[in-house]
């Protein structure tokens, strides 16, 4: 920095010494207030201050501000220093402006004008000070007013190299502030040409700028690929770059920037360019195995930085099997390194290599090493990368061992990553399971080990798979029944057990140890310990058990009619209990079997576990390994499981079904005295196995309760009461075709009632059995 004899500012040194010698905060505050009063009097005095005095006092104000004290004056004097031709005075002015002046200050326009003047100056020092100030305190308004000056300085052929470096970084800052102001078409060719500049400092700064511009407009800057390859090749093959050799490594920072820039584009189509790039990459890989030229850590860090970025470029291209296998072998050597950072980076890069067909087998060779890292590694972040790598490399052949190790690790895993780990184990167990009994065991073990971290999607998924696969239903019912008998059982296990036993409990009822009453009592013993959401599911299971085991109907009805349910403060529990108990009373066995029949199979759809994992983390989700022979089933909550309900199917004869859109008035409620019935708001019925159909329904507010059993029901008109009684008093009768013919004689609507006031639905997805404006 240029200096003169009068630049030492002795008064500033004395003031700083006085502050340091203060024995207490009060003494320091007193000295600061005294100095502030002195400076204020100097600035307001009649005597004109010269540049040296202004600089000294502005420095004192800056020091006081940095000590944590408020300074509300001196800005005008700092702006005056910007007009000085002396370097030290201009430097202090820019420093004060950068630290203490806000862009809303009324003097800000004067600052912008001073910056413009310095940018037009022929003194490179003044230009660099202005560019540095712009980069530090630039605003969108400043970018709009000064945006044209900086590119001009950068692209002028006679601009000094030091100024070009400042201009490139300053232009990067302006682009970030106001990207729409940037004219890519006019500047792209001139900026790309900077990559061939003789000065490597200019190339390094320009590379950072072009990298940001490429992310915004890659098409305009695709010409930079050949120049970047040429520059990288010359750096790699050079052994002496004078000022740019860092511990025997040639320009490591520039090499890393060039390799990252190349990752913004696909593999070069020009064969000569690609061959030159491939040669440079092979040279980098070869040097990684050479004996170190220095024992200093800086040498190792620089060499490895270039190596890892070269491997990232190889992974990005994913086209050369030889290079990818060599990269994998090099990374495997780092897995046993003493440096934690190297182990972390090696695991991360191997995770990316594991998804490529070229290097997949090479990655699998390191499975034992990765498992050891998972068991013995002390650093949490390294263990997490090991989990990601095991997830990425897993296949059918090794899924059993990998999932088992992940389950063992789950018990001691950090709490912050358990939910993500549970998702990964569930996905691997499902996608690579050759025996679905093993899959059920894995999921139930997951719930046992980490029940608090089980996302709803996990237990939704296991119930869907059990429903869709007849060969594991009995095993799933038996296994979950045994799991529920454990001394401590997680609530998610209760949800799974309730759902599966409600559907398939009859498959294990032959064993007296798992008889109907035993299943019911086991489930109900946990009722009072569960949240309301789980209670919804349990109540739906109880009504399912009435259909499966008529002999325990009285026991279940006693529970449903208990005051704890009927008078429960939760509207959903109260409504379910009332409606289920009424259904069991009025419905014949045939109708009950129809309404409460087994769940239909779910349709195929993309796994929701994969979608949740993608949201949870940025780890690679390898969908390509999910074989077509085991397509994922529909990924939704199982028929209202989120709210604890079941899909209840209802058998209908073909003559009741519409031939056009399958919409049918199953209960013939839509008769009108003026003419035949009209399908208004009729439930949607999807054919299933001939006469079976799923019945859906519109949403019902949870606070609308069916208070059939109330001693003091809400007052209604006589016609409405008669209508309700006539509906509830009638029962279905079997027809000649073996189906159920349901015919209700409903009185004509009273005047004033809505035409579609009746909409009767048998058990919609969230468990509502009756949906009717009269009842609700």
């Amino acid at each position: 920095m240029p200096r003169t004899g009068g630049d030492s500012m002795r008064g500033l040194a004395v003031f700083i010494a006085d502050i340091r010698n203060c024995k207490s905060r009060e003494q320091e505050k007193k000295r600061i207030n005294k100095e502030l009063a002195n400076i204020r009097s100097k600035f307001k005095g009649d005597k004109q201050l010269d540049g040296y005095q202004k600089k000294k006092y502005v420095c004192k104000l800056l020091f006081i501000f940095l000590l944590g004290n408020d300074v509300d004056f001196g800005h005008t004097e700092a702006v005056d220093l910007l007009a000085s031709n002396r370097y030290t005075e201009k430097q202090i002015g820019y420093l004060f402006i950068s630290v203490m002046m806000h862009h809303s200050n009324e003097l800000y326009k004067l600052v912008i004008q001073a910056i413009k003047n310095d940018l037009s100056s022929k003194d490179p020092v003044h230009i660099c000070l202005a560019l540095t100030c712009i980069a530090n305190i630039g605003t969108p308004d400043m970018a709009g007013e000064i945006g044209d000056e900086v590119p001009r300085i950068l692209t002028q052929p006679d601009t000094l190299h030091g100024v070009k470096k400042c201009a490139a970084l300053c232009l990067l800052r302006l682009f970030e502030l106001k990207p729409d102001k940037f004219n890519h078409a006019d500047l792209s060719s001139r900026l790309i040409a900077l990559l061939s500049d003789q000065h490597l400092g200019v190339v390094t700064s320009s590379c950072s700028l072009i990298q940001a511009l490429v992310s915004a407009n890659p098409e305009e800057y695709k010409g930079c690929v050949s120049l970047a390859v040429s520059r990288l090749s010359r750096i790699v093959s050079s052994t002496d770059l004078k000022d740019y050799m860092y511990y025997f490594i040639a320009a490591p920072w520039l090499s890393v920037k060039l390799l990252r820039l190349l990752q913004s584009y696909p593999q070069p189509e020009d064969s000569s360019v690609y061959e030159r790039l491939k040669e440079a990459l092979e040279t980098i890989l070869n040097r990684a195995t050479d004996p170190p030229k220095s024992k200093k850590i800086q040498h190792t860090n620089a060499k490895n930085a270039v190596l890892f970025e070269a491997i990232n470029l190889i992974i990005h291209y994913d086209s050369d099997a030889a290079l990818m296998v060599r990269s994998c072998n090099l990374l495997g050597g780092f897995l046993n390194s003493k440096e934690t950072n190297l182990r972390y980076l090696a695991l991360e890069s191997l995770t990316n290599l594991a998804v490529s067909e070229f290097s997949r087998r090479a990655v699998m060779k390191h499975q034992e090493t990765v498992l050891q890292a998972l068991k013995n590694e002390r650093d949490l972040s390294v263990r997490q990368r090991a989990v990601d790598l095991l997830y990425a490399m897993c296949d059918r052949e090794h899924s059993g061992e990998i999932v088992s190790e992940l389950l063992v690790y789950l018990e001691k895993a950090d709490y912050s990553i358990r939910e993500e780990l549970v998702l990964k184990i569930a996905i691997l167990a499902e996608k690579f399971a050759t025996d679905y009994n093993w899959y059920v065991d894995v999921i139930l073990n997951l719930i046992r080990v980490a029940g608090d971290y089980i996302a709803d999607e996990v237990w939704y998924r296991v119930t869907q798979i059990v429903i869709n696969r007849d060969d594991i239903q009995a095993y799933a019912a038996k296994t979950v029944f045994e799991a529920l008998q454990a001394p401590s059982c997680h609530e998610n296990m209760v949800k799974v057990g309730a759902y599966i036993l409600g559907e398939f409990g009859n498959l294990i009822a032959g064993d007296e140890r798992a008889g109907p009453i035993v299943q019911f009592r086991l489930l109900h013993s946990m009722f009072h310990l569960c949240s309301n959401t789980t209670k919804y599911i349990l109540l739906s299971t109880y009504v399912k058990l009435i259909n499966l085991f008529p002999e325990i109907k009285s026991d279940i009805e006693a529970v449903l009619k208990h005051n704890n349910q009927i008078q429960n403060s939760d509207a959903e529990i109260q409504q379910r209990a009332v409606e289920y108990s009424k259904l069991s009373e009025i419905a014949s066995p045939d109708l009950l079997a129809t309404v409460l029949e087994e769940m239909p199979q779910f349709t195929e759809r993309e796994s929701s576990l994969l979608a949740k994992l993608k949201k949870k983390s940025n780890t690679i989700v390898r969908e390509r390994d999910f074989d077509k022979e085991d397509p994922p089933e529909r990924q939704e909550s199982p028929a209202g499981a989120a709210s604890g309900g079941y899909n209840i199917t209802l058998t209908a004869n073909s003559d009741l079904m519409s031939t056009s859109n399958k919409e049918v008035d199953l209960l013939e409620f839509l008769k009108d005295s003026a003419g035949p019935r009209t399908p208004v708001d009729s439930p949607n019925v999807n054919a299933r196995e001939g006469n079976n159909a799923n019945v859906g329904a519109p949403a019902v507010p949870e606070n609308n309760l069916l208070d059939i059993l109330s001693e003091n029901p809400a007052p209604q008109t006589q016609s409405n009461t008669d209508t309700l009684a006539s509906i509830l008093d009638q029962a279905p009768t079997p027809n000649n075709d073996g189906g159920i013919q349901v015919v209700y004689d409903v009185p004509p609507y009273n005047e004033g009632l809505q035409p579609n006031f009746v909409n009767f639905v048998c058990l919609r997805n969230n468990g509502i059995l009756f949906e009717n404006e009269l009842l609700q």
Side-chain angles (χ1 to χ4, degrees), residues 253-379:
W253 287 277
L254 178 55
S255 299
V256 169
K257 288 179 181 292
L258 291 171
L259 290 166
R260 288 181 179 174
L261 178 59
L262 291 172
Q263 292 175 45
S264 302
Y265 291 95
Q267 180 178 310
E269 297 178 357
D270 190 332
S271 59
S272 61
V273 174
Y274 178 68
E275 287 300 323
R276 192 172 185 183
L277 175 59
K278 182 178 178 181
E279 182 181 348
L281 293 174
E282 288 176 344
T283 303
I284 295 173
L285 296 181
N286 291 335
R287 288 181 179 173
T289 58
D290 292 343
K293 296 182 180 180
S294 174
K295 295 183 179 180
K296 296 290 184 67
I297 188 64
Q298 292 88 341
H299 170 76
T300 304
N301 289 343
K303 184 170 71 171
N304 290 335
V306 177
L307 173 64
F308 278 104
E309 210 58 55
I311 292 175
N312 288 338
L313 181 60
I314 294 171
I315 295 172
H316 172 72
Y317 287 158
D318 193 13
S319 61
D320 194 306
L323 286 177
M324 298 193 74
V325 171
R326 285 192 61 190
S327 301
C328 183
N329 294 335
L330 285 172
L331 292 171
F334 290 126
L335 294 179
N336 295 319
S337 173
K338 295 181 180 180
E339 291 290 332
T340 304
N341 289 339
L342 285 180
R343 297 196 301 274
Y344 179 96
L345 293 172
L347 290 168
E348 188 175 46
S349 299
L350 284 171
T351 303
N352 295 326
L353 283 168
V355 302
S356 173
E357 296 297 333
F358 297 113
S359 54
R360 180 170 178 75
R361 291 184 179 275
V363 174
M364 291 301 301
K365 295 178 182 179
H366 305 289
Q367 178 177 327
E368 290 300 323
T369 307
V370 178
L371 290 175
Q372 289 300 318
L374 186 64
K375 297 176 183 177
N376 304 325
E377 180 61 52
R378 294 183 179 180
D379 190 279

Side-chain angles (χ1 to χ4, degrees), residues 106-124:
E106 58 184 8
L107 299 175
Y108 205 71
K109 291 185 177 180
L110 295 177
V111 174
I112 294 177
Q113 186 58 47
I115 292 175
K116 285 183 177 181
N117 294 337
D118 285 336
L119 292 178
S120 302
S121 172
K122 294 184 179 180
D123 190 336

Side-chain angles (χ1 to χ4, degrees), residues 555-572:
D555 297 88
I556 298 176
E557 285 183 341
V559 171
L560 294 176
K561 294 179 180 179
H562 196 278
N563 288 341
N564 289 344
Q565 277 67 257
I566 293 179
Q567 299 180 5
N568 196 288
S569 60
D570 185 273
E572 182 84 7

Side-chain angles (χ1 to χ4, degrees), residues 61 84 123 162 277 282 305 361 363 411 445 463 470 637 649 765:
L61 291 177
S84 173
D123 190 336
L277 175 59
E282 288 176 344
R361 291 184 179 275
V363 174
E411 297 189 28
N445 199 12
T463 56
D470 297 338
S637 61
T649 59
N765 285 353

Side-chain angles (χ1 to χ4, degrees), residues 59-100:
C59 278
K60 288 183 179 181
L61 291 177
L62 187 57
F63 179 73
I64 292 172
F65 176 78
L66 294 177
L67 289 177
N69 300 278
D70 293 331
V71 176
D72 57 359
F73 67 98
H75 299 78
T76 303
E77 288 71 20
V79 173
D80 291 342
L81 290 176
L82 298 182
S84 173
N85 290 325
R86 300 190 63 179
Y87 170 77
T88 54
E89 295 175 7
K90 188 180 291 288
Q91 180 197 33
I92 296 301
Y94 275 120
L95 180 60
F96 186 94
I97 296 301
S98 300
V99 174
M100 298 184 60

